[in-house]
Amino acid sequence: MSQNQEVEKKDRPESEMATIYIMGKPYEVPSELTIMQAQEYAGYRLIRGVGCRGGYCGACTTIYRKKDDYKLYIDLACQTKVEDGMYLVQLPFVPARKPEWDLDELEATSEEVIRIFPEITRCVSCNTCTQACPQNLEPMRAIQAIRRGDLEKAADLSFDCISCGACSARCPAEITHYHVFQLVRRLYGKYIQPKAEHVTQRVSEIEEGQYDDQMDELIELPEDRIRELFLDVRAGNEFSLDQNGGEE
Amino acid sequence: MTDPYPEHMMESVRRVNATRDERKDMEFDRIPEEESDELLRQWHPDYRKSDPAFFRELAIGPAKGKVVPTEVANVLEAYPRVDPADVDLSEVEYSTELLVIGTGGAGLSAILWANNEGIAMEDILVSTALRLGDSNSKMSQGGIQACDGEDDSPMIHWLDVLSGGHWTNDRPLARDLVEKGPLAIKWLESLGATFDKEQDGDMQLLMAGGASRKRIHSCKDYTGLELTRVLMDEALSRDVNTLEFCPTVSLLTDGSGAVAGGLLWNMETEEYHVVRSKATVIATGGFGRLHVAGFPTTNHYAATCDGLVSAYRVGADIIHMQSTQYHPTGAAYPEQIVGLLVTEKCRSMGAQLVNDDGEAFIYPLEPRDVESAAELKEIGEGRGITTPTGQDGIWLDTPMIDEKRGEGALEDGLAAIYRLFTRFGIDPTEYPVLVHPTLHYQNGGIAINRETQVVKPDGSPIENLFASGETTGGVHGDNRLMGNSWLEIVVFGRKSGISAAKHAKKAKMPKKSDLSLAHLDRYSKELEKAGIETERRTPIILPNYLGQNTMKATGYGKEKPFKRRLDLFA
């Protein structure tokens, strides 16, 4: 390992090295890497604890402490730079109960959410979940919003949740926040947010076959004619198969 | 407050700031077709067909003679990673009506619609390389197109799709795409997806690059996350039967050449699972992790072209594979996020692309290939910005968004982007962000018909095999417009679930004694006959970034090495 590292250092004069501890073992890695890249650089073949590598999937929740610092940090390995003296361990996942539900049979009320997830009434507002969130969300406020009956607020506060489970790992009331929030958002989307009437309208028009004749004709046209039609609609005109364009 | 960029970059930032006022009300002309053609020919990697560093003609297989990116040729002209001699096919672990491979948007839609079509959830088995839902779908930000706006229609959407695809699209497939669009939105809405809406419930429609009408439906800039997790939650609520970390490494065939199931590989216990099925749906997504042409990628870890490789070995044709989408705005600074997506929604909300001198050089909503080529031209002609690690880039003037739409517009509408950069000390409402084209999407792929059956070069279907989503080709032609991929995975994922379910209802379960990997032996023989000597074993399931590969130097087009270091699978 040391020989490789020397070659690396010579090749990469701009890079400073940092010492990190993975599962207790020290490794010297370039300091501009993310935690995830540093693990790979150190030779760890990742199967679990890695997914999108872009901060969306929540697979790479990592907890760490720093030298001479009592605090326990929780971050995404793919979105966090290594620091010298970092001691880290990865959580493959946080086990959680995911009840099954049929959205069509539910009501969009906090009572319904509490019936499915009674443990949210045990929230002691300790805010540990919020402190654990690598997305800087406020899960505690969202749980409290549900208890107040404000599902819209809870849906909004939890919208950027990537279900990494860090909150659930820390919660003394053993709430699985991300499943609770998923239910709340679906209830909000289905029952509280008003429906888009223009979508339903267009679906009916299509299903009634209003566009069939024009589409039948359009897809058989030669390419140059299709190009003309495109330029015409791009200029803001209505679609018309009439050679002269414009309205019939 | 300290500057978020090194001084030489800050100098350029000040030039960008200085021109913002005059750019604010600037009207851009769409560039004429001859000019965009010229840009593409000179600067886009897709147009370097005669350069073996970029493209190669396939020497074997059903699409023999077709020209594909060299990295794709490498995975197709490789020996199967499965040695048939190592597998005991008499040990059938699962017999299932339907095997679904992959759990992004297309796979999840297929599962739910096969179930709606009458296949019980316990009769569907799902194979996925990572966890349920880990996919490019989940990472998509910008939105989903559908022609439900007042001034819109399926015809106008279809014309846009064809224009975006340079008129090469499979026309009937493109028709199915647009005609089922509003239905796809309605379905997602009924499942409880939260779209960006007006008070009265009307969708807030946005413009996509290359489109002629506002047609983008979004869920802030977490559209893919929101839609994927809704589909995942529905699948979990119906008790989906998923084998996670168990990718399908080969299809199984019967004596007649029909597909009879899949061979799954448990990456953790390192053992095979033999699955026989009446119907199989491939929904494995794209190939970003092949790092085509040496580009960084927005794609998730398992986007390695695996489903396409398996399909090819049972005789599937592949189409439009010569066309790759480089998203114009991948992050180029800081080093830790190079390649990650900076959504097109930024430009649709008003951000402009600006060079080192603070000049806006292109209408921000040209089709993606044209935008990317325009950036590569600016960089190639010396008007780009180079970071300390040697990565070139162009400014995306994000402060313009609040400037045009009012304070808070960026943070509210682009939360993911705001988070991506502030994590590294760059406030995109105050400072422009640096971007470079990044490998985003596999435009072509497995050839399918309107029933989503996988087809051979003569157009006849491969029995029992269906495919949908990014792994397939045809719908988008040579270039895809923003928002049409999510539309594709919902529309064709649904179709593949329904088609496969209908098929499974009347098909017979393959006999255990008929299960075979003989097609792999035939493939190996074909490789030998063509004189291909290689150590390569495919499908690749996960890229190898170990050790020095993590930081390996590579090059755009290889002959002109990037000055920066970039992760690359070996």
Side-chain angles (χ1 to χ4, degrees):
Chain A
M1 173 173 134
S2 61
Q3 205 178 359
N4 280 347
Q5 298 263 311
E6 271 169 32
V7 172
E8 271 297 289
K9 270 184 174 170
K10 201 168 56 187
D11 281 348
R12 313 181 55 262
E14 78 280 9
S15 166
E16 283 179 25
M17 303 302 276
T19 303
I20 61 167
Y21 299 82
I22 304 172
M23 309 285 185
K25 273 191 202 160
Y27 296 92
E28 214 186 330
V29 300
S31 60
E32 75 249 38
L33 298 182
T34 60
I35 292 173
M36 179 174 287
Q37 290 167 335
Q39 288 174 304
E40 291 173 329
Y41 186 86
Y44 285 76
R45 179 78 194 239
L46 303 177
I47 294 176
R48 286 193 188 256
V50 55
C52 73
R53 307 177 72 105
Y56 288 89
C57 78
C60 61
T61 319
T62 298
I63 61 179
Y64 58 92
R65 281 202 155 88
K66 301 185 216 174
K67 217 172 182 175
D68 305 325
D69 184 347
Y70 67 88
K71 193 172 153 46
L72 186 69
Y73 295 85
I74 303 188
D75 272 312
L76 298 177
C78 73
Q79 297 287 293
T80 311
K81 224 173 136 173
V82 290
E83 288 176 52
D84 199 37
M86 199 179 238
Y87 292 77
L88 37 93
V89 65
Q90 275 205 295
L91 302 174
F93 65 97
V94 179
R97 159 183 163 268
K98 154 72 180 103
E100 290 172 14
W101 45 65
D102 181 348
L103 213 60
D104 290 336
E105 290 173 2
L106 299 183
E107 280 178 51
T109 62
S110 61
E111 288 77 17
E112 193 89 294
V113 179
I114 291 167
R115 183 180 62 75
I116 298 172
F117 292 106
E119 62 273 23
I120 64 175
T121 59
R122 294 168 59 206
C123 171
V124 292
S125 306
C126 69
N127 218 27
T128 310
C129 52
T130 299
Q131 285 167 8
C133 180
Q135 289 278 86
N136 298 323
L137 305 182
E138 297 177 284
M140 189 200 83
R141 275 185 67 205
I143 293 288
Q144 293 303 329
I146 297 168
R147 291 175 54 171
R148 281 201 310 276
D150 191 349
L151 297 191
E152 178 170 359
K153 185 77 187 168
D156 186 51
L157 282 170
S158 71
F159 193 80
D160 299 2
C161 171
I162 56 173
S163 311
C164 72
C167 50
S168 308
R170 301 281 275 151
C171 177
E174 288 149 319
I175 297 168
T176 50
H177 307 69
Y178 56 101
H179 287 321
V180 178
F181 297 151
Q182 183 61 61
L183 173 62
V184 168
R185 282 192 306 271
R186 287 188 70 188
L187 290 173
Y188 172 73
K190 188 174 174 74
Y191 294 113
I192 301 175
Q193 210 183 18
K195 287 268 176 293
E197 294 303 332
H198 61 103
V199 176
T200 307
Q201 174 69 29
R202 185 56 44 83
V203 171
S204 315
E205 290 168 11
I206 291 171
E207 286 176 347
E208 284 161 12
Q210 276 193 31
Y211 303 100
D212 289 357
D213 291 347
Q214 291 185 86
M215 281 300 293
D216 286 345
E217 196 176 333
L218 177 61
I219 73 164
E220 297 299 336
L221 291 174
E223 186 182 313
D224 51 356
R225 180 71 185 122
I226 290 174
R227 286 177 186 242
E228 277 171 26
L229 287 166
F230 169 71
L231 290 176
D232 197 41
V233 298
R234 192 173 79 171
N237 298 319
E238 283 184 36
F239 174 80
S240 169
L241 286 163
D242 176 8
Q243 193 66 37
N244 304 317
E247 292 184 18
E248 286 168 71
Chain B
M1 204 182 115
T2 51
D3 292 331
Y5 296 107
E7 181 49 30
H8 80 279
M9 291 174 73
M10 281 307 298
E11 282 171 22
S12 181
V13 168
R14 287 190 278 273
R15 288 192 285 275
V16 172
N17 290 344
T19 58
R20 189 167 298 124
D21 268 354
E22 66 183 78
R23 282 185 284 110
K24 188 178 169 188
D25 300 313
M26 197 167 161
E27 296 274 335
F28 289 89
D29 291 328
R30 293 285 303 260
I31 62 172
E33 198 164 332
E34 311 82 66
E35 216 176 294
S36 69
D37 284 352
E38 182 59 21
L39 249 183
L40 290 170
R41 258 200 309 281
Q42 286 220 3
W43 295 99
H44 197 283
D46 272 6
Y47 291 74
R48 306 177 76 167
K49 298 283 189 298
S50 57
D51 183 342
F54 286 87
F55 288 97
R56 187 163 90 226
E57 205 176 280
L58 285 173
I60 68 153
K64 182 175 168 179
K66 284 190 180 170
V67 172
V68 301
T70 299
E71 293 79 3
V72 175
N74 285 347
V75 293
L76 292 176
E77 293 177 2
Y79 287 86
R81 65 179 294 141
V82 178
D83 181 348
D86 291 346
V87 186
D88 181 2
L89 292 175
S90 68
E91 292 281 316
V92 176
E93 206 164 338
Y94 302 93
S95 293
T96 183
E97 296 286 299
L98 178 59
L99 170 64
V100 176
I101 309 168
T103 58
L108 289 166
S109 299
I111 293 161
L112 295 175
W113 281 99
N115 182 228
N116 291 350
E117 194 63 28
I119 305 289
M121 233 30 197
E122 64 257 31
D123 292 329
I124 302 172
L125 187 73
V126 182
S127 153
T128 187
L130 296 170
R131 302 173 309 164
L132 181 76
D134 281 359
S135 58
N136 288 343
S137 308
K138 198 185 252 185
M139 305 176 77
S140 113
Q141 298 172 13
I144 172 168
Q145 290 206 33
C147 56
D148 50 51
E150 204 183 340
D151 58 352
D152 208 352
S153 71
M155 290 81 72
I156 298 179
H157 190 178
W158 189 85
L159 287 168
D160 285 352
V161 171
L162 260 82
S163 157
H166 304 295
W167 324 103
T168 61
N169 315 57
D170 180 312
R171 293 182 180 193
L173 285 182
R175 176 182 183 166
D176 291 339
L177 176 81
V178 301
E179 285 188 336
K180 293 282 187 253
L183 182 67
I185 300 292
K186 197 179 164 192
W187 180 58
L188 292 165
E189 196 188 37
S190 77
L191 288 175
T194 307
F195 286 103
D196 296 339
K197 289 180 172 179
E198 306 294 349
Q199 288 292 330
D200 62 0
D202 279 5
M203 296 284 175
Q204 289 176 10
L205 298 177
L206 288 168
M207 198 72 145
S212 59
R213 295 292 184 275
K214 288 183 179 175
R215 195 183 293 129
I216 290 289
H217 306 60
S218 55
C219 314
K220 300 194 180 182
D221 61 343
Y222 277 115
T223 307
L225 175 67
E226 166 64 1
L227 300 182
T228 310
R229 68 192 174 192
V230 165
L231 297 180
M232 278 169 66
D233 188 68
E234 184 62 20
L236 288 168
S237 285
R238 298 190 199 179
D239 204 11
V240 64
N241 187 11
T242 315
L243 296 175
E244 296 183 322
F245 307 101
C246 287
T248 297
V249 287
S250 175
L251 295 169
L252 301 176
T253 47
D254 66 11
S256 71
V259 169
L263 183 67
L264 281 56
W265 173 249
N266 185 328
M267 290 195 282
E268 291 175 317
T269 62
E270 304 202 336
E271 59 191 339
Y272 289 117
H273 302 298
V274 177
V275 179
R276 66 172 171 160
S277 63
K278 291 183 180 175
T280 298
V281 176
I282 299 180
T284 48
F287 68 11
R289 292 280 157 188
L290 298 186
H291 293 285
V292 171
F295 274 67
T297 185
T298 58
N299 283 192
H300 79 113
Y301 190 41
T304 51
C305 208
D306 51 335
L308 186 139
V309 170
S310 293
Y312 195 67
R313 288 186 177 141
V314 296
D317 193 12
I318 54 174
I319 56 168
H320 292 294
M321 206 66 204
Q322 76 291 351
S323 159
T324 299
Q325 183 160 94
Y326 302 90
H327 194 289
T329 54
Y333 185 90
E335 182 64 25
Q336 295 85 8
I337 57 170
V338 168
L340 296 191
L341 187 62
V342 180
T343 173
E344 184 163 317
K345 194 177 168 194
C346 294
R347 281 172 289 136
S348 115
M349 287 180 72
Q352 297 165 350
L353 289 167
V354 182
N355 67 19
D356 184 38
D357 291 326
E359 295 162 354
F361 53 89
I362 189 157
Y363 170 60
L365 293 173
E366 293 288 350
R368 288 178 170 175
D369 52 353
V370 177
E371 294 281 330
S372 290
E375 288 173 43
L376 293 170
K377 176 172 191 254
E378 289 300 298
I379 291 166
E381 293 179 351
R383 295 182 295 277
I385 298 92
T386 305
T387 71
T389 52
Q391 168 69 50
D392 293 317
I394 285 292
W395 295 114
L396 178 67
D397 195 16
T398 44
M400 187 66 98
I401 293 170
D402 282 7
E403 191 79 27
K404 281 184 174 174
R405 294 178 176 251
E407 209 172 310
L410 189 152
E411 209 180 325
D412 195 42
L414 295 159
I417 292 309
Y418 184 76
R419 178 173 290 116
L420 179 70
F421 286 97
T422 48
R423 261 177 183 146
F424 297 98
I426 299 164
D427 181 347
T429 65
E430 273 193 55
Y431 295 92
V433 299
L434 198 71
V435 296
H436 185 277
T438 180
L439 202 174
H440 188 54
Y441 193 79
Q442 175 187 310
N443 287 327
I446 301 168
I448 55 168
N449 63 21
R450 288 179 84 172
E451 301 304 313
T452 70
Q453 289 173 295
V454 173
V455 297
K456 301 175 206 167
D458 66 4
S460 65
I462 294 175
E463 277 301 299
N464 312 332
L465 187 61
F466 301 80
S468 53
E470 189 174 350
T471 193
T472 66
V475 179
H476 306 299
D478 280 344
N479 181 53
R480 175 183 63 86
L481 300 183
M482 167 197 186
N484 279 340
S485 59
W486 248 99
L487 182 58
E488 177 190 14
I489 57 188
V490 184
V491 168
F492 291 95
R494 169 181 180 274
K495 185 78 186 174
S496 65
I498 294 173
S499 296
K502 283 184 174 158
H503 180 81
K505 281 186 201 165
K506 52 180 207 280
K508 281 204 185 101
M509 185 65 82
K511 280 192 214 142
K512 281 188 184 181
S513 55
D514 285 347
L515 298 180
S516 157
L517 287 167
H519 62 286
L520 295 185
D521 289 325
R522 280 199 299 277
Y523 198 84
S524 296
K525 286 209 178 78
E526 210 181 330
L527 283 163
E528 279 165 27
K529 214 171 128 193
I532 296 168
E533 286 178 27
T534 173
E535 296 289 304
R536 293 189 299 269
R537 294 282 180 276
T538 59
I540 292 165
I541 301 302
L542 297 172
N544 177 9
Y545 295 126
L546 293 189
Q548 303 201 9
N549 287 331
T550 312
M551 304 282 291
K552 199 166 176 179
T554 181
Y556 161 53
K558 287 117 187 172
E559 88 285 1
K560 174 183 170 275
F562 255 152
K563 284 167 282 178
R564 65 174 301 274
R565 296 163 195 282
L566 168 77
D567 51 1
L568 182 76
F569 91 89

